[in-house]
Amino acid sequence: MSTAPDSAVRAFIEEHRADFLDDLMEWLRIPSVSADPARAADVRLSADWLAATLARTGFPVAEVWTPPVGEDGPGAPAVFAEWPSGDPDAPTVLVYGHHDVQPADREDGWRTEPFEPVIRDGRLHARGAADDKGQVFFHTLGVRAHLAATGRTAPAVNLKLLIEGEEESGSPNFPALIRERADRLACDAVIVSDTGMWSATTPTVCTGMRGLTDCQIDLYGPEQDIHSGSFGGAVPNPATEAARLAAALHDSDRRVAIPGFYDGVVELTDRERELFAELPFDTSDWLRTAHSRATLGEAGHTTLERIWARPTAEVNGISGGYRGPGGKTIVPSTAQLKLSFRLVAGMDAEKVQQAVRAWVAARLPAGIRHEITFWRATRPCLTPLDHPGLQSVVRAMGRAFGQKIRFTREGGSGPAADLQDVLDVPVLFLGISVPSDGWHAPNEKVELDLLMKGVETAAYLWADLAENGRALRTAPDASCP
């Protein structure tokens, strides 16, 4: 296996940096907003542009896929590309990202037009610069640098790309697309380039994401709003019961009080807690980003542990009864409670849903009818620290950044678990975005120096994964526990 010399990789990247940025800015000019039906043609244009560019990069296969028709109609187009290694023992790696973007308008607070990229002070500003076109696109120059520096004519791994077109709309049709095309997507590992790092000076690798399930609980009491003087205190009030459910969701230690909720939870190891503690976390800075005046959560855990590695339950909304000006002395006929649950390794969304249903039914009095509607069920995703694929990512990043790579997790949820579930392979994360990049916010940007570090990391990664191909294929199951 030919390992790319660092100097050769960096020289190639620098030589082609300007053309790479010109191409990226051309792609960023396409307003591929998947949530806006009026932009459907732009999303398709974005997919076509990427497929053509990947073919020009050297991928012998570059196709635009339309997801199966779902409840809301056909999904947004995804791009699939494939470049076989030619080596019979080479592992197969699938890179995931997305080419759709969040809505953006000048009046939202952008200093410049969101779909007219601008380079200013070493930063590229545009919608999608970091989330996720920039992080997808660094793989195009990365694989070229890998080839140029090693003298290969094809990557050291069988390289596949799947770039989704509806991630910013919740990926409603993505699981069906994966199942339908599972044979084409078969691989030994997935690289997700839709995450970030702790900071520009503290490069990190994400090792997992939490799962998610959320619901609405509709409560029904009297057949209509009734007089609180004539009937209040003598009949069940659905708004009161919604409040009682919300108040009973946690115990005095801020643990979720639903029986069975923590069944199967994989607890943090001492080593993982030490690694979290190594990060330069500043509570005051974090509170500013949270727009909050204080931290609060499950007793016995730090803030990072709470948002990365502990399951949570949140009241997203509570409503019912009169909400107009002044007072109205009624017992309302209906109330609603919206809840979301973040899940960690070892938890099963369907079992959590069953536990929530049983808990609600046990707490409501006679005379209150209820209905529960669950919307999503996303599994958590976690890769063990000693997994050989993760170690390849760490080594490649370490070469690019020239310093120790630390570890994080993501508190949110994404489609990584769908890839892991259907393809039955580990998911590894490679992202170079930093919190200040402003995902989903006005003036989104990507740091150009970090973007080039992503290119360099990708250039080193494929040879490292190829050298560890057997270990990658025979490693213990790294799917979501």
Side-chain angles (χ1 to χ4, degrees):
M1 180 60 60
S2 177
T3 300
D6 295 10
S7 59
V9 167
R10 290 168 183 157
F12 184 90
I13 292 171
E14 185 59 32
E15 180 183 354
H16 295 85
R17 173 181 173 131
D19 290 340
F20 166 78
L21 291 177
D22 286 344
D23 286 343
L24 175 56
M25 288 191 288
E26 181 179 332
W27 193 22
L28 291 169
R29 291 187 181 98
I30 302 174
S32 49
V33 180
S34 60
D36 184 356
R39 295 291 193 184
D42 291 315
V43 177
R44 176 71 196 203
L45 178 62
S46 172
D48 290 340
W49 185 95
L50 179 59
T53 301
L54 292 173
R56 178 162 50 86
T57 298
F59 283 84
V61 175
E63 303 170 351
V64 176
W65 289 355
T66 300
V69 176
E71 294 182 1
D72 299 322
V79 176
F80 172 78
E82 184 174 13
W83 196 338
S85 167
D87 296 340
D89 296 328
T92 300
V93 181
L94 173 69
V95 173
Y96 166 85
H98 64 90
H99 68 93
D100 64 320
V101 298
Q102 281 281 312
D105 290 295
R106 185 68 181 269
E107 53 266 31
D108 295 337
W110 285 78
R111 291 192 294 273
T112 56
E113 293 296 333
F115 295 104
E116 185 51 53
V118 174
I119 293 178
R120 186 172 57 245
D121 300 325
R123 301 175 177 93
L124 172 59
H125 293 264
R127 175 58 86 220
D131 183 22
D132 183 36
K133 289 180 177 177
Q135 299 204 95
V136 166
F137 206 59
F138 72 59
H139 286 284
T140 63
L141 184 53
V143 71
R144 291 174 59 206
H146 161 66
L147 298 178
T150 59
R152 296 183 58 92
T153 58
V157 299
N158 299 308
L159 185 58
K160 299 180 180 181
L161 273 65
L162 180 62
I163 312 304
E164 184 187 356
E166 55 182 30
E167 194 273 346
E168 298 293 8
S169 298
S171 303
N173 299 288
F174 189 63
L177 176 65
I178 303 171
R179 289 191 292 268
E180 181 183 73
R181 306 279 187 154
D183 57 334
R184 300 284 304 277
L185 298 172
C187 59
D188 297 301
V190 174
I191 301 288
V192 172
S193 285
D194 187 25
T195 54
M197 306 190 304
W198 180 264
S199 71
T201 56
T202 305
T204 55
V205 171
C206 176
T207 62
M209 302 181 78
R210 292 192 294 186
L212 169 69
T213 189
D214 53 355
C215 68
Q216 176 171 308
I217 305 170
D218 292 289
L219 305 177
Y220 304 92
E223 294 181 2
Q224 63 181 39
D225 293 351
I226 55 178
H227 194 287
S228 65
S230 300
F231 304 104
V235 297
N237 183 320
T240 299
E241 297 308 319
R244 289 170 64 87
L245 283 175
L249 192 58
H250 299 89
D251 65 18
S252 59
D253 287 328
R254 306 286 173 172
R255 284 176 58 86
V256 180
I258 298 173
F261 181 78
Y262 290 93
D263 289 354
V265 166
V266 176
E267 301 288 343
L268 278 167
T269 65
D270 290 342
R271 177 58 179 154
E272 288 171 323
R273 300 186 93 169
E274 291 172 0
L275 290 172
F276 285 4
E278 287 181 2
L279 294 166
F281 178 76
D282 184 280
T283 299
S284 297
D285 288 344
W286 184 84
L287 284 172
R288 278 192 289 273
T289 65
H291 302 283
S292 177
R293 290 184 292 274
T295 62
L296 184 67
E298 183 183 359
H301 294 278
T302 67
T303 298
L304 289 182
E305 291 169 5
R306 291 168 182 164
I307 61 176
W308 286 350
R310 297 301 298 167
T312 61
E314 291 294 334
V315 177
N316 306 132
I318 184 169
S319 60
Y322 180 66
R323 292 184 291 277
K328 187 177 183 183
T329 54
I330 60 167
V331 175
S333 62
T334 64
Q336 297 81 37
L337 185 63
K338 295 180 186 287
L339 304 175
S340 64
F341 303 90
R342 297 286 176 171
L343 315 178
V344 299
M347 301 179 77
D348 181 271
E350 291 186 3
K351 291 182 179 180
V352 170
Q353 292 177 2
Q354 294 170 4
V356 172
R357 291 184 186 278
W359 175 74
V360 172
R363 296 196 67 86
L364 292 177
I368 294 290
R369 181 174 64 87
H370 76 281
E371 297 174 355
I372 303 181
T373 303
F374 282 93
W375 296 301
R376 289 169 286 190
T378 303
R379 292 185 65 199
C381 185
L382 180 65
T383 302
L385 293 174
D386 59 355
H387 191 275
L390 177 62
Q391 292 306 310
S392 286
V393 175
V394 170
R395 282 191 294 270
M397 283 193 74
R399 287 177 67 183
F401 282 87
Q403 64 185 97
K404 180 179 179 179
I405 306 301
R406 303 182 188 276
F407 298 93
T408 63
R409 295 190 194 179
E410 290 280 345
S413 306
D418 293 323
L419 290 161
Q420 198 158 255
D421 284 350
V422 176
L423 303 180
D424 193 28
V425 293
V427 169
L428 312 167
F429 298 90
L430 170 56
I432 51 78
S433 183
V434 290
S436 62
D437 284 344
W439 292 24
H440 299 197
N443 304 303
E444 178 184 347
K445 55 85 177 172
V446 67
E447 302 282 341
L448 292 182
D449 286 347
L450 296 183
L451 189 61
M452 295 305 123
K453 292 297 185 185
V455 173
E456 190 177 346
T457 300
Y460 300 139
L461 180 58
W462 309 132
D464 198 301
L465 283 170
E467 290 175 358
N468 290 280
R470 185 177 182 279
L472 184 65
R473 286 189 290 266
T474 60
D477 181 24
S479 61
C480 303

